[in-house]
Amino acid sequence: MKNNLIVLLGPTGVGKTELSIELAERIGSEIISADSRQFYRELSIGTAVPSDDQLRRVKHHFIRFISINEYYSSSIFERDVLELLPALFKKRNIVIMSGGSCMYIDAVCNGIDNIPDTDPEIRQKYIRLYDEEGIAGLRVALKLLDPVHYSRVDLKNHKRIIRALEICETTGMPYSSFLKKEKNEREFEIIKIGLRRDRDDLYGRINRRVDEMIEMGLESEARSLYSSRDLNALNTVGYRELFSYFGGSVTRDKAIELIKRNSRRYSKRQMTWWAKDDSISWFHPSEKEKILEIITHL
RNA sequence: GGUGCCAUAGCUCAGUCGGUAGAGCAACGGACUGAAAAUCCGUGUGUCCCCGGUUCGAUUCCUGGUGGCACCA
Protein backbone atom coordinates (compact mmCIF):
# COMPACT_ATOMS: atom_id res chain seq x y z
CA MET A 1 0.00 0.00 0.00
CA LYS A 2 1.56 3.29 -1.01
CA ASN A 3 1.86 6.19 1.33
CA ASN A 4 0.21 9.52 0.57
CA LEU A 5 0.89 13.00 1.80
CA ILE A 6 -2.16 15.19 1.32
CA VAL A 7 -0.97 18.77 1.14
CA LEU A 8 -3.82 21.08 2.02
CA LEU A 9 -2.77 24.59 1.14
CA GLY A 10 -4.40 27.96 0.65
CA PRO A 11 -4.09 31.63 1.50
CA THR A 12 -4.34 32.91 5.04
CA GLY A 13 -7.89 33.01 6.28
CA VAL A 14 -9.36 30.74 3.63
CA GLY A 15 -10.41 28.09 6.16
CA LYS A 16 -7.68 25.48 6.17
CA THR A 17 -7.61 24.75 9.87
CA GLU A 18 -11.18 23.59 10.42
CA LEU A 19 -11.35 21.69 7.15
CA SER A 20 -8.05 19.93 7.76
CA ILE A 21 -9.31 18.74 11.14
CA GLU A 22 -12.60 17.49 9.72
CA LEU A 23 -10.77 15.62 6.98
CA ALA A 24 -8.28 14.14 9.43
CA GLU A 25 -11.08 12.98 11.72
CA ARG A 26 -12.89 11.30 8.85
CA ILE A 27 -9.90 9.37 7.60
CA GLY A 28 -8.17 8.89 10.93
CA SER A 29 -4.93 10.65 10.13
CA GLU A 30 -2.71 13.13 11.92
CA ILE A 31 -1.88 16.65 10.79
CA ILE A 32 1.45 18.24 10.02
CA SER A 33 1.27 22.02 10.21
CA ALA A 34 3.08 23.91 7.50
CA ASP A 35 2.54 27.38 8.92
CA SER A 36 5.89 28.88 9.75
CA ARG A 37 4.49 31.23 12.40
CA GLN A 38 2.41 28.63 14.17
CA PHE A 39 5.71 26.93 15.00
CA TYR A 40 6.43 29.42 17.76
CA ARG A 41 5.17 28.62 21.21
CA GLU A 42 5.13 32.27 22.25
CA LEU A 43 2.60 33.14 19.55
CA SER A 44 -1.01 32.06 19.40
CA ILE A 45 -3.71 34.67 18.82
CA GLY A 46 -1.91 36.48 16.03
CA THR A 47 -1.01 33.29 14.20
CA ALA A 48 -4.49 31.78 14.47
CA VAL A 49 -3.21 28.45 15.73
CA PRO A 50 -5.79 25.70 16.16
CA SER A 51 -7.68 26.04 19.45
CA ASP A 52 -7.15 23.64 22.34
CA ASP A 53 -10.41 21.94 21.39
CA GLN A 54 -9.26 21.50 17.83
CA LEU A 55 -5.91 20.18 18.97
CA ARG A 56 -7.67 17.60 21.12
CA ARG A 57 -9.68 16.35 18.18
CA VAL A 58 -6.69 15.52 16.00
CA LYS A 59 -3.03 15.04 16.79
CA HIS A 60 -1.03 17.94 15.32
CA HIS A 61 2.70 18.17 14.66
CA PHE A 62 4.87 21.29 14.40
CA ILE A 63 2.46 23.48 16.35
CA ARG A 64 4.11 25.78 18.90
CA PHE A 65 7.14 23.54 19.23
CA ILE A 66 10.01 26.02 19.09
CA SER A 67 10.82 29.37 20.65
CA ILE A 68 10.96 32.67 18.85
CA ASN A 69 14.57 32.81 20.02
CA GLU A 70 15.52 29.72 18.05
CA TYR A 71 16.73 29.61 14.49
CA TYR A 72 14.53 27.64 12.16
CA SER A 73 14.26 27.41 8.39
CA SER A 74 12.49 25.71 5.54
CA SER A 75 15.44 23.38 5.17
CA ILE A 76 15.27 22.26 8.80
CA PHE A 77 11.53 21.81 8.35
CA GLU A 78 12.15 19.60 5.34
CA ARG A 79 14.48 17.43 7.38
CA ASP A 80 12.16 17.33 10.41
CA VAL A 81 9.11 16.37 8.36
CA LEU A 82 10.94 13.70 6.41
CA GLU A 83 12.15 12.24 9.69
CA LEU A 84 8.68 12.20 11.19
CA LEU A 85 6.72 10.85 8.24
CA PRO A 86 7.79 7.16 8.40
CA ALA A 87 6.37 6.89 11.92
CA LEU A 88 3.10 8.49 10.83
CA PHE A 89 2.82 6.29 7.76
CA LYS A 90 3.22 3.27 9.99
CA LYS A 91 -0.06 4.16 11.63
CA ARG A 92 -1.94 5.28 8.53
CA ASN A 93 -0.96 5.45 4.88
CA ILE A 94 -2.43 8.94 4.58
CA VAL A 95 -1.06 12.01 6.33
CA ILE A 96 -2.38 15.51 5.97
CA MET A 97 -0.03 18.46 5.84
CA SER A 98 -1.93 21.71 6.13
CA GLY A 99 -0.59 25.22 5.91
CA GLY A 100 0.19 28.28 3.89
CA SER A 101 3.94 28.77 4.08
CA CYS A 102 4.79 28.37 0.42
CA MET A 103 8.50 27.86 0.75
CA TYR A 104 8.15 25.38 3.60
CA ILE A 105 5.62 23.36 1.64
CA ASP A 106 7.93 23.33 -1.36
CA ALA A 107 10.80 22.21 0.82
CA VAL A 108 8.84 19.13 1.88
CA CYS A 109 7.41 18.37 -1.56
CA ASN A 110 10.41 19.08 -3.78
CA GLY A 111 13.34 19.47 -1.47
CA ILE A 112 15.88 22.23 -1.21
CA ASP A 113 19.38 21.90 -2.57
CA ASN A 114 21.90 20.82 -0.04
CA ILE A 115 23.87 23.84 1.06
CA PRO A 116 26.25 23.92 4.01
CA ASP A 117 25.24 25.72 7.18
CA THR A 118 26.63 29.18 7.67
CA ASP A 119 28.09 30.99 10.59
CA PRO A 120 25.69 33.65 11.89
CA GLU A 121 28.67 35.94 12.31
CA ILE A 122 29.17 35.99 8.57
CA ARG A 123 25.59 37.04 7.97
CA GLN A 124 26.03 39.78 10.55
CA LYS A 125 29.10 40.96 8.72
CA TYR A 126 27.17 41.39 5.48
CA ILE A 127 24.25 43.01 7.22
CA ARG A 128 26.75 45.52 8.52
CA LEU A 129 28.10 45.99 5.02
CA TYR A 130 24.56 46.66 3.84
CA ASP A 131 23.98 49.17 6.61
CA GLU A 132 27.20 50.99 5.79
CA GLU A 133 27.38 50.85 2.03
CA GLY A 134 23.87 49.98 0.99
CA ILE A 135 22.87 47.61 -1.75
CA ALA A 136 25.75 48.81 -3.92
CA GLY A 137 28.29 47.45 -1.46
CA LEU A 138 26.61 44.05 -1.53
CA ARG A 139 26.58 44.03 -5.33
CA VAL A 140 30.28 44.72 -5.59
CA ALA A 141 31.02 41.83 -3.25
CA LEU A 142 28.71 39.44 -5.06
CA LYS A 143 30.02 40.30 -8.49
CA LEU A 144 33.45 39.35 -7.27
CA LEU A 145 32.51 36.14 -5.46
CA ASP A 146 29.77 34.79 -7.71
CA PRO A 147 29.39 36.49 -11.11
CA VAL A 148 26.97 33.79 -12.25
CA HIS A 149 24.54 34.46 -9.45
CA TYR A 150 25.12 38.17 -9.85
CA SER A 151 23.66 37.94 -13.33
CA ARG A 152 20.54 36.13 -12.12
CA VAL A 153 19.65 37.45 -8.71
CA ASP A 154 17.32 40.34 -7.98
CA LEU A 155 20.00 42.97 -7.43
CA LYS A 156 17.65 45.18 -5.47
CA ASN A 157 16.82 42.55 -2.90
CA HIS A 158 19.40 42.77 -0.14
CA LYS A 159 18.27 39.58 1.60
CA ARG A 160 18.90 37.52 -1.52
CA ILE A 161 22.34 38.99 -2.01
CA ILE A 162 23.31 38.59 1.64
CA ARG A 163 22.24 34.96 1.53
CA ALA A 164 24.41 34.31 -1.52
CA LEU A 165 27.37 36.12 -0.01
CA GLU A 166 27.30 34.23 3.24
CA ILE A 167 27.35 30.94 1.35
CA CYS A 168 30.22 32.08 -0.85
CA GLU A 169 32.26 33.12 2.14
CA THR A 170 31.47 30.04 4.22
CA THR A 171 32.23 27.50 1.52
CA GLY A 172 34.77 29.31 -0.60
CA MET A 173 32.63 28.38 -3.58
CA PRO A 174 30.07 30.36 -5.55
CA TYR A 175 26.54 30.12 -4.22
CA SER A 176 25.26 29.37 -7.70
CA SER A 177 27.29 26.15 -7.78
CA PHE A 178 25.02 24.69 -5.09
CA LEU A 179 21.78 25.43 -6.90
CA LYS A 180 20.89 22.30 -8.82
CA LYS A 181 17.19 23.06 -8.77
CA GLU A 182 16.40 19.41 -9.18
CA LYS A 183 13.22 18.03 -7.75
CA ASN A 184 14.01 15.49 -5.08
CA GLU A 185 12.11 12.23 -5.43
CA ARG A 186 9.99 11.31 -2.43
CA GLU A 187 9.06 7.82 -1.32
CA PHE A 188 5.44 8.82 -0.94
CA GLU A 189 2.79 10.27 -3.20
CA ILE A 190 2.04 13.96 -2.89
CA ILE A 191 -1.50 15.15 -3.54
CA LYS A 192 -1.84 18.91 -3.43
CA ILE A 193 -5.26 20.27 -2.64
CA GLY A 194 -5.65 24.01 -2.80
CA LEU A 195 -8.39 25.97 -1.10
CA ARG A 196 -9.53 29.25 -2.54
CA ARG A 197 -12.39 31.72 -2.40
CA ASP A 198 -13.51 34.74 -4.38
CA ARG A 199 -11.30 37.62 -3.46
CA ASP A 200 -14.04 39.74 -1.87
CA ASP A 201 -15.09 36.78 0.23
CA LEU A 202 -11.52 36.03 1.31
CA TYR A 203 -10.73 39.66 2.12
CA GLY A 204 -13.94 39.96 4.13
CA ARG A 205 -12.92 36.92 6.16
CA ILE A 206 -9.43 38.27 6.70
CA ASN A 207 -10.75 41.63 7.91
CA ARG A 208 -13.19 39.98 10.27
CA ARG A 209 -10.60 37.60 11.59
CA VAL A 210 -8.31 40.47 12.49
CA ASP A 211 -11.13 42.09 14.46
CA GLU A 212 -11.67 38.79 16.24
CA MET A 213 -7.97 38.54 17.08
CA ILE A 214 -8.12 41.98 18.63
CA GLU A 215 -11.17 40.96 20.67
CA MET A 216 -9.34 37.85 21.81
CA GLY A 217 -6.48 39.93 23.16
CA LEU A 218 -3.91 40.17 20.42
CA GLU A 219 -2.84 43.54 21.76
CA SER A 220 -1.76 42.17 25.13
CA GLU A 221 -0.13 39.16 23.50
CA ALA A 222 1.91 41.53 21.35
CA ARG A 223 2.66 43.80 24.28
CA SER A 224 4.17 40.91 26.20
CA LEU A 225 6.51 40.32 23.26
CA TYR A 226 7.40 43.95 22.67
CA SER A 227 10.85 43.63 24.23
CA SER A 228 11.66 40.87 21.72
CA ARG A 229 10.37 42.88 18.77
CA ASP A 230 13.62 42.72 16.83
CA LEU A 231 13.55 38.94 16.52
CA ASN A 232 12.93 37.70 13.03
CA ALA A 233 10.07 35.51 14.22
CA LEU A 234 8.23 38.63 15.28
CA ASN A 235 8.70 40.39 11.97
CA THR A 236 5.22 39.09 11.31
CA VAL A 237 1.88 40.50 10.31
CA GLY A 238 -0.21 41.15 13.39
CA TYR A 239 2.73 41.84 15.67
CA ARG A 240 4.94 44.33 13.84
CA GLU A 241 2.01 46.70 13.31
CA LEU A 242 1.12 46.64 17.00
CA PHE A 243 4.77 47.21 17.86
CA SER A 244 4.58 50.38 15.77
CA TYR A 245 1.56 51.43 17.80
CA PHE A 246 3.37 50.70 21.09
CA GLY A 247 6.33 52.68 19.81
CA GLY A 248 4.05 55.61 19.09
CA SER A 249 4.49 55.85 15.33
CA VAL A 250 0.88 54.94 14.46
CA THR A 251 -2.47 55.05 16.23
CA ARG A 252 -4.15 51.90 17.46
CA ASP A 253 -6.84 52.10 14.78
CA LYS A 254 -4.23 52.59 12.11
CA ALA A 255 -2.29 49.59 13.36
CA ILE A 256 -5.37 47.40 13.14
CA GLU A 257 -6.08 48.65 9.65
CA LEU A 258 -2.49 47.86 8.65
CA ILE A 259 -2.78 44.34 10.02
CA LYS A 260 -5.78 43.82 7.76
CA ARG A 261 -4.07 45.30 4.74
CA ASN A 262 -0.86 43.38 5.25
CA SER A 263 -2.77 40.15 5.75
CA ARG A 264 -4.61 40.77 2.49
CA ARG A 265 -1.34 41.43 0.71
CA TYR A 266 0.16 38.31 2.19
CA SER A 267 -2.72 36.21 0.91
CA LYS A 268 -2.19 37.65 -2.55
CA ARG A 269 1.50 36.76 -2.45
CA GLN A 270 0.61 33.23 -1.50
CA MET A 271 -1.81 32.93 -4.42
CA THR A 272 0.81 34.31 -6.78
CA TRP A 273 3.28 31.66 -5.63
CA TRP A 274 0.81 28.82 -6.21
CA ALA A 275 -0.52 30.16 -9.50
CA LYS A 276 2.34 28.54 -11.40
CA ASP A 277 1.98 25.16 -9.69
CA ASP A 278 -0.26 23.10 -11.94
CA SER A 279 -0.07 20.07 -9.67
CA ILE A 280 -2.58 21.70 -7.32
CA SER A 281 -6.26 20.74 -7.53
CA TRP A 282 -8.34 23.68 -6.40
CA PHE A 283 -11.52 23.58 -4.35
CA HIS A 284 -13.80 25.87 -2.42
CA PRO A 285 -13.55 25.09 1.31
CA SER A 286 -17.20 24.02 1.28
CA GLU A 287 -16.42 21.16 -1.11
CA LYS A 288 -15.44 18.82 1.67
CA GLU A 289 -17.17 15.79 0.20
CA LYS A 290 -15.44 16.25 -3.14
CA ILE A 291 -12.09 16.42 -1.39
CA LEU A 292 -12.90 13.34 0.70
CA GLU A 293 -13.79 11.52 -2.49
CA ILE A 294 -10.29 12.11 -3.78
CA ILE A 295 -8.60 11.16 -0.53
CA THR A 296 -10.59 8.01 0.12
CA HIS A 297 -10.02 6.71 -3.39
CA LEU A 298 -6.28 6.77 -3.10
C1' G B 1 -34.34 82.43 1.14
C1' G B 2 -29.47 85.45 0.04
C1' U B 3 -24.11 85.56 -0.67
C1' G B 4 -19.51 83.11 -1.16
C1' C B 5 -16.48 78.76 -1.91
C1' C B 6 -16.07 73.79 -3.73
C1' A B 7 -17.14 69.45 -7.24
C1' U B 8 -10.78 65.90 -11.00
C1' A B 9 -8.58 58.22 -9.71
C1' G B 10 -11.37 53.95 -4.51
C1' C B 11 -9.80 58.19 -0.69
C1' U B 12 -7.29 63.08 0.28
C1' C B 13 -6.01 66.55 -3.11
C1' A B 14 -2.72 69.09 -7.07
C1' G B 15 -3.06 70.89 -12.09
C1' U B 16 -4.06 72.51 -17.06
C1' C B 17 -2.69 81.41 -18.65
C1' G B 18 -7.96 76.46 -23.39
C1' G B 19 -4.55 71.30 -26.78
C1' U B 20 -8.68 64.98 -22.99
C1' A B 21 -4.56 65.10 -16.51
C1' G B 22 -0.86 63.69 -11.79
C1' A B 23 0.92 62.98 -6.46
C1' G B 24 0.38 60.39 -1.71
C1' C B 25 -2.31 56.51 0.34
C1' A B 26 -5.42 52.49 -1.21
C1' A B 27 -5.78 48.92 -5.24
C1' C B 28 -3.79 45.64 -8.98
C1' G B 29 0.16 42.34 -11.38
C1' G B 30 4.78 39.69 -10.65
C1' A B 31 9.51 37.39 -8.51
C1' C B 32 10.96 33.89 -4.91
C1' U B 33 16.13 27.49 -3.08
C1' G B 34 18.21 27.45 4.31
C1' A B 35 15.38 35.06 7.63
C1' A B 36 9.78 33.63 3.53
C1' A B 37 3.37 35.97 7.57
C1' A B 38 10.11 37.82 5.24
C1' U B 39 12.24 40.56 1.16
C1' C B 40 12.01 42.74 -3.60
C1' C B 41 10.13 44.51 -8.50
C1' G B 42 6.38 46.55 -11.74
C1' U B 43 1.38 49.08 -13.09
C1' G B 44 -2.62 54.96 -13.24
C1' U B 45 -7.06 52.01 -12.90
C1' G B 46 -10.42 58.68 -14.82
C1' U B 47 -17.80 60.57 -18.49
C1' C B 48 -12.09 65.98 -14.80
C1' C B 49 -20.69 66.56 -11.46
C1' C B 50 -24.78 67.49 -15.46
C1' C B 51 -27.22 70.43 -19.76
C1' G B 52 -26.05 74.20 -22.94
C1' G B 53 -22.81 78.40 -24.91
C1' U B 54 -18.09 80.62 -26.81
C1' U B 55 -14.00 78.20 -29.55
C1' C B 56 -10.64 74.72 -34.69
C1' G B 57 -10.59 72.52 -29.77
C1' A B 58 -13.56 73.06 -23.05
C1' U B 59 -11.82 69.24 -17.49
C1' U B 60 -10.13 74.51 -17.78
C1' C B 61 -13.80 80.39 -19.80
C1' C B 62 -19.38 81.78 -19.60
C1' U B 63 -25.23 80.74 -18.60
C1' G B 64 -28.24 77.54 -16.05
C1' G B 65 -28.88 73.20 -13.06
C1' U B 66 -27.59 69.47 -9.17
C1' G B 67 -24.92 68.20 -4.76
C1' G B 68 -21.72 69.67 -0.60
C1' C B 69 -19.57 73.27 2.83
C1' A B 70 -19.40 78.18 5.12
C1' C B 71 -21.45 82.76 6.35
C1' C B 72 -25.81 86.11 6.48
C1' A B 73 -30.91 86.00 7.33
Side-chain angles (χ1 to χ4, degrees), chain A residues 40-49 64 213 221 239:
Chain A
Y40 297 106
R41 69 173 74 95
E42 292 88 347
L43 314 183
S44 68
I45 297 172
T47 54
V49 285
R64 304 183 73 184
M213 286 176 176
E221 178 173 305
Y239 297 90

Side-chain angles (χ1 to χ4, degrees), chain A residues 51-98:
Chain A
S51 65
D52 290 345
D53 278 348
Q54 289 175 318
L55 292 174
R56 267 192 291 275
R57 283 160 65 191
V58 173
K59 168 91 175 148
H60 280 69
H61 301 270
F62 301 100
I63 292 280
R64 304 183 73 184
F65 73 108
I66 51 173
S67 162
I68 54 174
N69 296 295
E70 288 176 60
Y71 175 78
Y72 203 71
S73 71
S74 55
S75 174
I76 303 174
F77 183 66
E78 173 189 2
R79 185 202 66 202
D80 286 352
V81 171
L82 293 182
E83 277 179 16
L84 172 69
L85 276 173
L88 298 185
F89 283 139
K90 237 181 233 178
K91 296 189 238 177
R92 181 74 168 91
N93 72 321
I94 301 176
V95 170
I96 293 175
M97 181 167 84
S98 170

Side-chain angles (χ1 to χ4, degrees), chain A residues 7 78 82 105-114 178-192 273 276-280:
Chain A
V7 179
E78 173 189 2
L82 293 182
I105 292 170
D106 272 8
V108 171
C109 295
N110 307 322
I112 288 184
D113 287 317
N114 207 24
F178 293 98
L179 300 180
K180 311 250 183 334
K181 300 210 174 217
E182 282 168 4
K183 235 176 134 170
N184 291 337
E185 286 307 310
R186 299 306 190 200
E187 292 173 351
F188 46 85
E189 290 293 312
I190 293 171
I191 299 98
K192 288 184 188 168
W273 181 294
K276 63 195 169 206
D277 185 346
D278 53 20
S279 67
I280 302 172

Side-chain angles (χ1 to χ4, degrees), chain A residues 233-246:
Chain A
L234 291 175
N235 185 193
T236 296
V237 177
Y239 297 90
R240 63 204 301 212
E241 296 85 355
L242 286 171
F243 294 156
S244 300
Y245 160 54
F246 301 151

